[in-house]
Amino acid sequence: MNAPTALAPAHCPAVAILGTRGIPAAHGGFETLAERLALHLASRGWRVTVYCQREVDRVAPRFETRMWRGIECIHVAVAQKGAAATLAFDAHCTRHAARHWAVCLVLGYNGAVFLPFLRLRGRKVLTNMDGIEWRRPKWSRAVRGFFWLSEWIAAWTSNRLIADHPAIADHLATRRPRGAIAMIPYGGDPVEAASTGPLDDLGLKPDGYLVSIARIEPDNNVLSIVRAFSRRRRGLRLVVVGRLDADNRYHRAVRGAASDEVLFPGAIYDRTTVQALRFHARAYLHGHTVGGTNPSLVESLWAGNAVIAHANVYNAWTAGPAQFAFHDEDGLEAAIALTLGKPDQLAPARRAARLHAARRFEWQDVLACYEAELLALAGLPATPVPTAKHGRAASSEPVP
């Protein structure tokens, strides 16, 4: 066993968070989770290290340490781009973390090929296994094979696995015994009010638009959403938030299918703007077909959105039974027509969204469950955590 280093004093528990682009959060659900958990643990006496990716033209130096709100952020410079940069970043983070005595929380399994090195150096590893990435149709056969193998490596290399959805826990149970799996979803914050300023900037009015916030990819059904909405004049807008690339065939198809009532503001990472778009929308459209508990869907429930979601096991559990579902493009158009033609149907769905979010997706409960898992791996006494009545830590909760 390695002796504690300066990174992890002997008198306090230590955790290193790997697998994200870093904090403060600016990109997605994993970064938000990393930021919220790091702040929570730091406030409770943990020594917290978060690895942050920094893409540069020339590496000098490789590692830079900066403190942010009591958290040690290690910025790792990589000169590569795209997927190569991510793999290089994961490799350098793993090598660095292996030299320091801390429990390692790994978010995602893209860099799973490096996890055996952490175990060989005696590190305890807790891995959030994210969604079933190798099932996404956008990937080539070779990439799917890489993700399939990475999932197996992460499943068997990690000491413990976290599933963010009961269906993901069921899937992981085909790789590892259920006793090695904890089910902990994402969290969110209530949005009780939001400025209309961001709407003004986009030429929108409260309750005068539907909104979709997602990566524009086939498995998120963005093309179907745009086509269903654009079949006829609606008298309000559809706002599709996400990056569009003129060189991407699917993105060109999405633009080509849009009527003049569809607005493409691009990718938006400003939290105030995104919150305003959710809070003031007539309804939130969610076409995801692959994955577990989607952070954007959780945040929409906390904003009190009526949700129109693709009918699958992931969305059904996350959104709850009071929202609107569709199986195909015709069903989606019918759901859109219902929300536009019968606004009285929206109030019950909006109330149910907030109640459902409070029952399943409170940050305080989510972070407490993560801390309990980390304490157990560190060999330290556990503090009280929420019971499994909300489905947070129950690896065997059935899927409806």
Side-chain angles (χ1 to χ4, degrees):
M1 179 181 294
N2 293 0
T5 71
L7 188 64
H11 63 273
C12 67
V15 60
I17 301 177
L18 302 87
T20 80
R21 292 182 64 89
I23 62 174
H27 293 279
F30 265 160
E31 283 74 23
T32 299
L33 171 61
E35 178 179 316
R36 295 298 292 261
L37 182 59
L39 291 170
H40 169 81
L41 295 174
S43 72
R44 291 174 57 79
W46 285 73
R47 182 70 177 267
V48 182
T49 299
V50 179
Y51 288 92
C52 307
Q53 183 173 340
R54 184 167 64 92
E55 294 187 10
V56 298
D57 294 327
R58 187 173 63 90
V59 176
R62 175 72 68 188
F63 301 102
E64 287 187 287
T65 300
R66 304 172 189 171
M67 297 302 296
W68 180 76
R69 299 181 64 178
I71 299 160
E72 185 174 46
C73 297
I74 298 180
H75 294 262
V76 183
V78 291
Q80 296 88 340
K81 303 295 181 183
T86 300
L87 279 175
F89 171 68
D90 288 337
H92 293 303
C93 292
T94 302
R95 178 169 58 87
H96 190 277
R99 297 199 305 263
H100 304 283
W101 192 250
V103 177
C104 294
L105 171 63
V106 181
L107 300 178
Y109 57 74
N110 290 2
V113 66
F114 306 115
L115 294 186
F117 182 67
L118 285 175
R119 292 301 306 276
L120 288 172
R121 294 297 299 269
R123 304 292 84 88
K124 300 291 188 179
V125 178
L126 174 67
T127 300
N128 181 313
M129 296 293 285
D130 200 12
I132 309 173
E133 194 68 21
W134 54 267
R135 285 185 180 171
R136 296 186 187 277
K138 68 175 182 176
W139 300 122
S140 67
R141 181 174 296 180
V143 173
R144 290 186 197 179
F146 171 80
F147 282 131
W148 182 87
L149 180 61
S150 297
E151 181 185 83
W152 274 99
I153 293 172
W156 280 103
T157 303
S158 306
N159 296 89
R160 293 276 291 167
L161 307 179
I162 292 176
D164 65 20
H165 188 285
I168 298 296
D170 290 342
H171 169 72
L172 293 177
T174 67
R175 273 70 172 139
R176 285 283 296 276
R178 282 194 180 271
I181 304 164
M183 204 294 287
I184 311 175
Y186 289 105
D189 296 305
V191 181
E192 305 293 347
S195 169
T196 58
L199 272 61
D200 297 337
D201 295 339
L202 294 170
L204 301 171
K205 295 181 179 180
D207 206 44
Y209 63 93
L210 306 175
V211 67
S212 165
I213 303 173
R215 289 188 180 94
I216 299 179
E217 298 173 351
D219 49 282
N220 291 341
N221 275 306
V222 180
L223 179 56
S224 294
I225 289 171
V226 170
R227 282 198 303 227
F229 179 87
S230 300
R231 286 183 179 182
R232 55 182 53 84
R233 300 296 298 179
R234 302 294 184 180
L236 82 172
R237 308 296 299 273
L238 168 64
V239 182
V240 179
V241 177
R243 186 180 68 85
L244 284 169
D245 184 349
D247 296 328
N248 183 297
R249 180 182 300 179
Y250 185 76
H251 291 182
R252 292 198 301 271
V254 169
R255 277 197 181 275
S259 72
D260 61 4
E261 291 183 308
V262 181
L263 174 65
F264 296 103
I268 300 175
Y269 296 109
D270 178 71
R271 292 184 184 181
T272 300
T273 301
V274 174
Q275 278 192 350
L277 286 172
R278 285 196 178 99
F279 183 79
H280 294 293
R282 176 76 63 92
Y284 174 76
L285 300 176
H286 188 77
H288 292 58
T289 57
V290 180
T293 299
N294 182 267
S296 184
L297 180 52
V298 170
E299 290 168 6
S300 293
L301 297 173
W302 276 114
N305 284 138
V307 173
I308 302 173
H310 183 271
N312 59 66
V313 67
Y314 305 111
N315 298 337
W317 184 85
T318 306
Q323 305 304 322
F324 306 92
F326 68 92
H327 290 88
D328 53 27
E329 206 167 292
D330 290 337
L332 174 55
E333 185 186 15
I336 290 173
L338 179 64
T339 60
L340 300 185
K342 297 184 177 180
D344 58 307
Q345 300 277 336
L346 298 179
R350 288 169 173 167
R351 288 193 298 269
R354 292 186 183 277
L355 290 172
H356 189 68
R359 191 171 73 88
R360 279 198 173 144
F361 306 118
E362 287 189 2
W363 269 125
Q364 181 180 356
D365 297 344
V366 169
L367 299 178
C369 287
Y370 269 92
E371 185 177 13
E373 291 291 333
L374 293 168
L375 285 169
L377 284 184
L380 296 172
T383 55
V385 298
T387 67
K389 67 178 180 179
H390 300 324
R392 291 188 178 85
S395 61
S396 59
E397 179 170 333
V399 179

